[in-house]
Amino acid sequence: MGGLRLLAVALTCCWWPPGSQGKTLRGSFSSAAARDAQGQSIGHFVFHGDHALLCVRINNIAVAVGKEAKLYLFQAQEWLKLQEGSNGYSCSEKLSKAQLTVTMNQTEHNLTVSQIPHPQTWHVFYADKYTCKEDDENSQVEDIPFEMMLLNPDAEGNPFDHFSAGESGLHEFFFLLVLVYFVIACIYAQSLWQAIKKGGPMHMVLKVLTTALLLQAGSAFANYIHFSSYSKDGIGVPLIGSLAEFFDIASQIQMLYLLLSLCMGWTIVRMKKSQSRPLQWDSTPASTGIAVFIVITQSILLLWEQFEDTSPHSHHSHHNLAGILLIVLRICLALSLGCGLYQIITVERSTLKREFYITFAKGCILWFLCHPGLACISILFNDYQRDKVVTIGVILCQSVSMVILYRLFLSHSLYWEVSSLSSVTLPLTVSSGHKSRPHF
């Protein structure tokens, strides 16, 4: 069954989307693209404050002047109204309703977006004199290369902040998260390594759990590096950003692998087997098939979600069908686990064992339900805050879940008592064991 993790991680490595573009945008203003879509979409940004700035640089001024090139800025709500088919606006009428317009007749243009009472999403579009024409007169017109920076005011009110309102605070959050991981590693790394080297009933559980923790720490560190660079140039290091998302997905797969293994046929200890490998996979083809199906299904859904989600820095949010299916899968796993543990707890007479199952249920259900729960809670926040709430909340909840499981599996009084059961009684288990008590 160890090959299952390798298969899922290999699948993730071979099928990974390119990094998302930052808020320093580079490309070309295209008359053909603008004509086909009644305005070429350049990007969107959540501006805030009184001195937000849009800065655009072009090289070919003569072409821009000849085409009467312009940028149009729409507030998100107004643009959605214009997109509704019931209004019946023509191409020129839509463009005329832009809140802000920039005529590109200079090498560099700086547009101040001011008097914003609260953070608002603005959409930027390009159009020229050919955009609303029906003929093909513009088929041979030269494109205009550009570089655009979208900036918010910093703490001193100067427009130097590359982060939109929906991304503000993430850089500081990942810095603190990396700092916490570093401090914890300095305090507990040696004792955890000794516990893993010692072996015992928790050996394999600790190895898999530690691997998931290292992947989460790697994701946090990669995110910090990416955001540190992003704060300076608005682009960051897209490869590092994708690497952070890969580490996060690999951590999700590791944890699902661990929890399914404990719940679907891994005996916690088998003393008649080799003491060097006390945690063994001992399941029927049915339980193995279910575990393989669930892990691969989650891997595919996670990758599918990444390909469809074009928003940068939002890999914990769920905006598409794949994200909804992931939420449904996690809810089903949490319900199945909870029902099984409830049945065990109600008939278990041993207070120690009952405490073990309750603690185990808390850690697992928190891990599975933090995504769905926070996705629901985020509805109470403004649109621009939802991704940030889900991202920070999921990371914190999953960290707490790992702490709960670590405390459980490192507790001799709880874990070793339950590990001496004659058979595994965790929910969904279909394997049987042999009566034996561990000797230490």
Side-chain angles (χ1 to χ4, degrees), residues 46 82 116 160 169 178 180 185 301 310 323 367 412:
V46 184
L82 294 174
I116 303 176
F160 297 143
V178 170
V180 170
L301 289 176
T310 58
W367 181 275
H412 290 202

Side-chain angles (χ1 to χ4, degrees), residues 362-379:
K362 289 178 182 178
C364 296
I365 292 176
L366 178 60
W367 181 275
F368 285 129
L369 290 186
C370 62
H371 279 82
L374 286 164
C376 294
I377 293 173
S378 67
I379 297 175

Side-chain angles (χ1 to χ4, degrees), residues 384-428:
Y384 71 92
Q385 294 175 317
R386 291 174 184 172
D387 287 348
K388 183 165 57 177
V389 168
V390 173
T391 298
I392 294 176
V394 165
I395 292 174
L396 293 179
C397 287
Q398 290 184 343
S399 299
V400 171
S401 175
M402 283 189 168
V403 170
I404 292 174
L405 293 176
Y406 262 118
R407 286 173 58 88
L408 179 67
F409 293 124
L410 287 174
S411 170
H412 290 202
S413 60
L414 284 178
Y415 190 94
W416 289 5
E417 170 70 18
V418 178
S419 70
S420 65
L421 297 175
S422 60
S423 62
V424 177
T425 55
L426 290 177
L428 305 181

Side-chain angles (χ1 to χ4, degrees), residues 84-370:
E84 294 178 359
S86 59
N87 294 324
Y89 291 113
S90 66
C91 171
S92 57
E93 288 175 334
K94 286 183 179 180
L95 295 177
S96 67
K97 293 184 177 297
Q99 281 75 30
L100 296 172
T101 305
V102 180
T103 301
M104 289 185 291
N105 52 14
Q106 301 176 11
T107 302
E108 180 174 328
H109 291 271
N110 294 312
L111 173 66
T112 299
V113 184
S114 59
Q115 297 180 349
I116 303 176
H118 54 83
Q120 295 177 344
T121 301
W122 289 73
H123 293 268
V124 183
F125 292 86
Y126 165 81
D128 53 39
K129 67 179 182 180
Y130 303 109
T131 300
C132 296
K133 291 185 177 181
E134 299 296 332
D135 53 38
D136 295 329
E137 181 182 353
N138 65 327
S139 58
Q140 300 298 324
V141 177
E142 184 179 353
D143 292 344
I144 305 173
F146 73 89
E147 178 182 271
M148 181 183 299
M149 288 189 295
L150 302 167
L151 300 165
N152 273 318
D154 58 16
E156 298 178 354
N158 300 314
F160 297 143
D161 186 3
H162 290 276
F163 292 100
S164 73
E167 300 164 338
S168 62
L170 288 177
H171 183 206
E172 293 80 3
F173 169 74
F174 282 111
F175 168 75
L176 292 175
L177 188 62
V178 170
L179 181 62
V180 170
Y181 276 126
F182 176 75
V183 172
I184 291 176
C186 292
I187 298 173
Y188 295 107
Q190 184 175 1
S191 58
L192 179 60
W193 173 247
Q194 291 175 350
I196 294 176
K197 284 181 62 178
K198 188 185 299 182
M202 74 290 287
H203 178 254
M204 185 58 71
V205 173
L206 289 178
K207 284 180 61 177
V208 178
L209 189 58
T210 302
T211 301
L213 178 63
L214 290 175
L215 287 169
Q216 275 207 333
S219 176
F221 183 65
N223 268 316
Y224 172 68
I225 293 175
H226 171 63
F227 279 116
S228 295
S229 178
Y230 187 93
S231 66
K232 298 175 183 177
D233 59 15
I235 298 176
V237 187
L239 179 61
I240 299 296
S242 294
L243 185 63
E245 296 179 9
F246 163 72
F247 283 154
D248 180 72
I249 288 182
S251 175
Q252 302 289 330
I253 293 171
Q254 283 284 104
M255 284 299 294
L256 183 62
Y257 167 77
L258 169 64
L259 299 180
L260 284 176
S261 296
L262 288 173
C263 296
M264 299 191 64
W266 264 31
T267 60
I268 296 181
V269 68
R270 292 288 186 263
M271 297 310 298
K272 290 190 175 182
K273 297 183 178 181
S274 171
Q275 181 65 29
S276 62
R277 296 187 61 190
L279 195 59
Q280 300 284 341
W281 177 267
D282 182 21
S283 64
T284 66
S287 65
T288 302
I290 293 173
V292 170
F293 174 76
I294 293 175
V295 171
I296 293 181
T297 298
Q298 174 169 286
S299 303
I300 293 174
L301 289 176
L302 286 167
L303 293 169
W304 180 12
E305 182 187 31
Q306 291 301 317
F307 272 103
E308 289 197 354
D309 189 1
T310 58
S311 301
H313 314 150
S314 61
H315 55 279
H316 280 287
S317 57
H318 304 285
H319 301 300
N320 48 46
L321 178 60
I324 294 173
L325 292 176
L326 272 171
I327 289 177
V328 172
L329 175 63
R330 286 167 177 143
I331 291 175
C332 291
L333 289 171
L335 289 175
S336 177
L337 177 69
C339 290
L341 282 170
Y342 177 76
Q343 294 175 0
I344 294 173
I345 293 170
T346 53
V347 299
E348 179 58 60
R349 295 182 179 180
S350 170
T351 303
L352 198 60
K353 296 174 184 176
R354 190 162 55 246
E355 183 182 349
F356 172 87
Y357 294 126
I358 292 174
T359 307
F360 181 77
K362 289 178 182 178
C364 296
I365 292 176
L366 178 60
W367 181 275
F368 285 129
L369 290 186
C370 62

Side-chain angles (χ1 to χ4, degrees), residues 26-43 67 70-72 74 79 95 104 123-128 131 143-144 146 148:
R26 297 188 178 99
S28 296
F29 296 132
S30 170
S31 296
R35 178 173 173 271
D36 292 340
Q38 296 186 349
Q40 180 187 2
S41 177
I42 304 302
K67 294 198 298 182
K70 295 181 180 180
L71 290 178
Y72 296 85
F74 297 86
W79 177 250
L95 295 177
M104 289 185 291
H123 293 268
V124 183
F125 292 86
Y126 165 81
D128 53 39
T131 300
D143 292 344
I144 305 173
F146 73 89
M148 181 183 299

